[in-house]
């Protein structure tokens, strides 16, 4: 199972057949990022994700979310996470709703774990699987709205950019070039992928199932593998390029071309939404009236350029992927 803790570390050697190379694929997993981000929030010094954590912790407190159904399944590093909680996505870019639907309908016999820290939470799920999975997915959806959705376009830009980069390298030079700079702990040699791993060692065969590669901004700098489960495609999760600069404040300059299309005030507001902000914040930073800001945001939300996310009594606005593309493109 993914992240299942083992007492030994060392080198994990993954053997590839020609069929395995042909079945290499990439995917994005919002659900995995949720689980990995909860671990980041637990960290008293969350490293590169500190700016995000400092915004999200008070927002979660204001929303008064009870994360126990989720956090009880997530042990602190290097403890594991049950594989059923983060089953590898079957499509390249599933929405969170799609992954939650799969989790909600998870076969009850797969609700198991070998991780001591998660056993109590899994036992509670197994006591009443339908009710427990429903409650778990509801908690994840509520957490997503507060902690992830306002920042998802920025995260998605990083992971999609990495996938495009990796796909190009695969096309240019095959598996060797793909894995050559994936991570310093990963090397390719004569059809075998060698991974310096803190929890797993030994030889594994993919048995013609190929390998799923999932870039993860919240999982880094660790490499996570699930190559033992018979239930899902073998998976490797790795930190994508650009994660270190993910939360840098980088308000985009006001584009005259964009202002010509949207109007100067709306283009200015869109540029200011490098990070989620409230109407009051945006009014203070731009010099526009709160009422004017609200009207512009309403119009841009109707056009699909911004999204709104309630945190307690405050509504935060964020650029959607379309808005992000307009500003950064």
């Amino acid at each position: 199972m993914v992240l299942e803790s083992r007492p030994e570390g060392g080198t994990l050697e993954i053997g590839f057949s020609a069929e395995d190379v042909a079945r290499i694929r990439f995917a994005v997993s919002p659900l995995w990022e949720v689980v990995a981000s909860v671990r980041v929030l637990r960290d008293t010094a969350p490293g590169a994700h500190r700016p995000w954590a400092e915004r999200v912790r008070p927002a979660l407190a204001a929303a008064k979310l009870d994360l126990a159904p989720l956090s009880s399944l997530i042990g602190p590093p290097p403890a594991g996470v049950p594989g059923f909680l983060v089953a590898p996505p079957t499509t390249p870019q599933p929405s969170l709703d799609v992954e939650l639907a799969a989790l909600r309908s998870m076969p009850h016999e797969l609700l198991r774990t070998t991780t001591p820290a998660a056993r109590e939470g899994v036992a509670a799920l197994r006591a009443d699987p339908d009710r427990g999975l429903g409650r778990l997915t509801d908690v994840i959806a509520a957490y997503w709205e507060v902690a992830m959705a306002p920042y998802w376009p920025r995260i998605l830009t990083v992971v999609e950019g990495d996938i495009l980069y990796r796909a190009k390298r695969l096309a240019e030079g095959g598996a060797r070039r793909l894995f050559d700079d994936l991570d310093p702990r990963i090397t390719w040699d004569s059809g075998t992928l060698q991974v310096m791993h803190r929890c797993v060692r030994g030889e594994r065969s993919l048995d013609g199932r190929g390998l799923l590669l999932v870039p993860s901004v919240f999982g880094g700098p660790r490499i996570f593998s699930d190559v033992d489960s018979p239930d899902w495609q073998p998976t490797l999760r790795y930190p994508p390029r650009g994660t270190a600069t993910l939360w840098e404040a980088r308000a985009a300059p006001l584009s005259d071309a964009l202002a010509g299309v949207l109007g100067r005030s709306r283009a200015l507001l869109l540029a200011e939404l490098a990070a989620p902000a409230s109407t009051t914040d945006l009014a203070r930073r731009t010099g526009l009236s709160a009422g004017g800001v609200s009207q512009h945001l309403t119009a841009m939300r109707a056009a699909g350029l911004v999204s709104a996310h309630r945190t307690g009594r405050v509504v935060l606005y964020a650029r959607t992927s379309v808005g992000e593309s307009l500003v950064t493109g």
Side-chain angles (χ1 to χ4, degrees):
M1 294 297 177
V2 177
L3 286 180
E4 294 292 5
S5 180
R6 291 173 173 78
E8 73 277 5
T11 302
L12 171 64
E13 297 186 357
I14 305 173
F16 281 71
S17 66
E19 183 67 18
D20 292 318
V21 173
R23 290 177 178 266
I24 292 174
R25 67 183 184 93
F26 295 88
V28 176
S29 177
L31 181 54
W32 166 264
E33 295 292 3
V34 165
V35 171
S37 72
V38 170
R39 277 188 156 181
V40 170
L41 287 176
R42 285 178 174 174
D43 194 339
T44 56
H49 297 298
R50 179 184 293 276
W52 170 83
E54 289 177 346
R55 296 189 195 111
V56 166
R57 283 169 177 157
L60 288 171
K64 298 181 180 179
L65 293 182
D66 178 11
L67 296 179
L70 174 60
S71 59
S72 65
L73 300 174
I74 307 173
V81 173
F84 70 83
L85 181 59
V86 285
T90 56
T91 59
Q93 194 179 116
S95 66
L96 180 71
D97 288 342
V98 167
E99 290 196 289
L100 289 184
L103 177 58
R104 196 177 296 112
S105 60
M106 186 66 59
H108 297 170
E109 63 271 17
L110 296 183
L111 302 180
R112 56 178 184 262
T113 185
T114 60
T115 301
R119 284 175 182 164
E120 185 174 344
V122 173
L125 272 181
R126 291 181 65 87
D128 190 347
D130 292 332
R131 181 176 180 274
L133 288 172
R135 184 183 177 206
L136 174 62
T137 53
D138 287 345
V139 167
I140 292 173
Y143 173 88
W144 172 269
E145 183 65 18
V146 174
M148 300 291 289
Y151 309 92
W152 187 245
R154 179 178 287 198
I155 294 170
L156 197 57
T157 297
V158 171
V159 296
E160 285 184 332
D162 187 84
I163 289 175
L164 289 173
Y165 172 80
R166 301 293 165 201
K168 181 180 179 182
R169 289 183 65 88
L170 179 63
E172 291 173 343
R176 178 178 294 279
R177 187 160 176 78
L178 165 63
F179 292 116
D180 185 51
D181 69 342
L182 191 74
D183 189 271
R185 293 156 293 187
I186 294 177
T187 57
W188 175 269
D189 183 28
S190 302
T192 298
L193 192 66
Q194 298 179 342
V195 183
M196 298 299 296
H197 209 294
R198 66 184 294 179
C199 298
V200 183
R201 67 180 179 184
E203 299 179 359
R204 302 291 193 278
S205 174
L206 299 178
D207 299 324
R209 295 179 294 164
L211 185 67
L212 172 62
L213 296 169
V214 181
S216 169
V217 300
F218 284 107
R222 292 180 61 187
I223 297 290
F224 297 95
S225 65
D226 177 10
V227 294
D228 294 325
S229 173
D231 304 304
W232 299 289
Q233 183 179 13
T235 303
L236 203 67
R237 293 178 168 95
Y238 65 93
R241 301 161 70 250
T243 300
T245 62
L246 182 60
W247 307 117
E248 288 182 353
R250 53 179 192 272
L254 182 60
S255 165
D256 289 339
L258 189 59
V261 175
L262 297 180
R264 187 170 183 81
S265 294
R266 290 177 185 176
L268 176 60
L269 290 170
L270 202 58
E272 284 290 331
L273 286 173
S278 67
T279 300
T280 302
D281 289 337
L282 290 169
R284 176 179 52 80
R285 282 152 43 184
T286 62
L288 300 171
S289 69
V293 169
S294 179
Q295 289 180 357
H296 290 314
L297 291 173
T298 298
M300 289 194 289
R301 184 181 181 188
L305 301 182
V306 302
S307 55
H309 308 272
R310 179 168 294 279
T311 303
R313 297 181 179 180
V314 177
V315 176
L316 295 180
Y317 291 86
R319 292 196 294 242
T320 63
S321 57
V322 175
E324 192 79 18
S325 298
L326 283 176
V327 173
T328 61

